[in-house]
Amino acid sequence: MFHFRRQFLLSTLSIATGLAVSTHAHAQEFPNKTITIVVPFSAGGGVDTIARLLAEKLRGTLKQNVIVDNKAGGSGMIGANAVVKATPDGYTLLLGSAGETAINAFVYKNKMQYNPAKDLAPITLVTRIPNVLVASPTLPVKNIEELVAYGKKNPGKLAYSTSGVGNPQHLNGELLEELAGIHMVHIPYKGASGQLVDVVSGNVDMTFVSFTAAKAFIKDGKVKAIAVTSAKRTSFAPEIPAIAEYKPLAKYQLENWFGLFAPAGTPDAVLQKLNAAVTHAIKDPDLAKRLQDQGGEPAPMSTQQFRDFIKTESVQFQRIVETANITAE
């Protein structure tokens, strides 16, 4: 009996040691082939642009080819699901936005084919993307305080456009309604172009949109920049105040963000190697500047910090979605 137990323990130890050595060896040799960053949106958009900028830097850092693969559709969920199903070895990654990794689970619920909290392994936050609230030149307000006052005097009259239902722009509007105690009408569009054009023409009062999309309209005076949705002013447009600067809305903060993920089950040593490589790339002044040009604030984190960040963000997203009773179309 003793001999059997001794052999069992030795066998178990041998297996555990073998697994540890195998994992360590895999991490040491990683990467030894092409890495694919899946972008769950069409080419040419904000996520795609940032993925290609990141891939360019990672090629030099990791000494391997890094390519971008666009898998658009399903509010980002088709691409995310493809990564979830990929081999968890670090060679198939997702550059995901807040939508498909932290919001959609509350909007689409059982319509989703994956659970982002369980099926994706966070690597690092890459950049935070505040939206900017811009208003039509015909709207008689010039700052957030006047906008709130106008909304209170005209309940249900203010209309705001976004690029869809249940995305960060929509949640921006719902959070403003909640904290300001006003009622607005949400008009979802399919893309930033239409939602901005109708604000320029005065058909819609205002919109929440990325600074990159709105920059030319602001510069030409076709829309008025009211405020940004980050807690503080941004580095790329410091002249635009934050909504939170208005004291009654001091708790206002809601941004989109892009982060890098791997399939759950990817060895931690590989995740850490990727985290170090991405962090090194993002801290490069050239890439940091190019991310800012895209309306983003570079924000690398450790894997644990990113996990904690997603949990905190998810709590706010869930509360807003459930309070506003937002459901998938």
Side-chain angles (χ1 to χ4, degrees):
M1 182 68 177
F2 173 77
H3 178 73
F4 173 78
R5 290 180 63 189
R6 182 171 179 273
Q7 287 296 108
F8 175 77
L9 289 170
L10 286 173
S11 297
T12 303
L13 180 61
S14 176
I15 292 170
T17 303
L19 286 172
V21 170
S22 174
T23 300
H24 180 68
H26 181 78
Q28 279 193 319
E29 69 182 21
F30 176 87
N32 58 17
K33 62 181 181 180
T34 297
I35 294 172
T36 298
I37 298 177
V38 173
V39 171
F41 300 100
S42 301
V47 188
D48 178 68
T49 300
I50 289 172
R52 293 179 190 280
L53 291 173
L54 182 61
E56 180 184 329
K57 289 294 180 183
L58 289 179
R59 289 183 196 111
T61 304
L62 294 171
K63 309 302 180 186
Q64 271 297 338
N65 190 27
V66 182
I67 63 172
V68 174
D69 182 14
N70 298 89
K71 294 185 182 293
S75 297
M77 294 184 288
I78 290 176
N81 193 47
V83 173
V84 164
K85 293 179 177 178
T87 303
D89 55 9
Y91 291 99
T92 303
L93 308 175
L94 172 73
L95 185 64
S97 71
E100 65 279 4
T101 62
I103 298 175
N104 289 358
F106 309 118
V107 176
Y108 290 86
K109 299 179 181 176
N110 59 2
K111 294 179 182 178
M112 288 185 69
Q113 297 180 343
Y114 64 96
N115 182 332
K118 294 180 179 179
D119 298 334
L120 289 170
I123 296 172
T124 185
L125 184 64
V126 174
T127 183
R128 303 175 74 132
I129 310 286
N131 281 313
V132 59
L133 172 58
V134 298
S136 167
T138 61
L139 190 67
V141 304
K142 60 180 182 293
N143 54 47
I144 191 65
E145 183 175 359
E146 292 181 2
L147 178 68
V148 171
Y150 182 87
K152 288 183 175 180
K153 289 179 182 178
N154 301 275
K157 186 177 178 180
L158 273 176
Y160 71 99
S161 59
T162 70
S163 58
V165 173
N167 62 22
Q169 296 176 1
H170 184 189
L171 269 56
N172 277 136
E174 295 290 352
L175 183 60
L176 179 59
E177 287 190 76
E178 177 190 339
L179 296 182
I182 59 177
H183 173 59
M184 304 187 295
V185 177
H186 174 226
I187 304 176
Y189 284 66
K190 291 184 178 181
S193 178
Q195 74 186 83
L196 272 164
V197 167
D198 273 4
V199 173
V200 171
S201 67
N203 290 331
V204 180
D205 296 309
M206 60 189 197
T207 188
F208 293 91
V209 71
S210 71
F211 179 74
T212 305
K215 182 163 56 176
F217 293 90
I218 295 171
K219 182 180 178 181
D220 293 342
K222 293 180 178 179
V223 295
K224 294 182 285 188
I226 302 296
V228 291
T229 64
S230 46
K232 298 179 180 179
R233 298 190 184 205
T234 66
S235 61
F236 51 82
E239 71 281 4
I240 304 176
I243 290 175
E245 289 180 32
Y246 178 43
K247 286 187 178 180
L249 303 181
K251 294 182 178 180
Y252 192 103
Q253 179 185 7
L254 196 153
E255 305 160 87
N256 194 4
W257 41 262
F258 303 152
L260 201 65
F261 298 80
T266 301
D268 186 64
V270 172
L271 297 177
Q272 297 305 330
K273 196 163 188 177
L274 286 166
N275 176 279
V278 175
T279 299
H280 177 76
I282 297 172
K283 288 183 177 180
D284 180 273
D286 175 61
L287 180 57
K289 175 64 168 60
R290 292 167 82 178
L291 290 175
Q292 289 170 333
D293 289 343
Q294 293 298 314
E297 298 282 15
M301 296 178 173
S302 70
T303 54
Q304 187 57 53
Q305 287 173 329
F306 190 30
R307 288 189 193 100
D308 294 340
F309 172 82
I310 294 169
K311 288 179 182 177
T312 300
E313 289 285 283
S314 295
V315 169
Q316 176 174 231
F317 294 149
Q318 182 178 14
R319 185 188 60 75
I320 295 171
V321 168
E322 292 179 351
T323 299
N325 194 29
I326 300 172
T327 55
E329 296 175 302

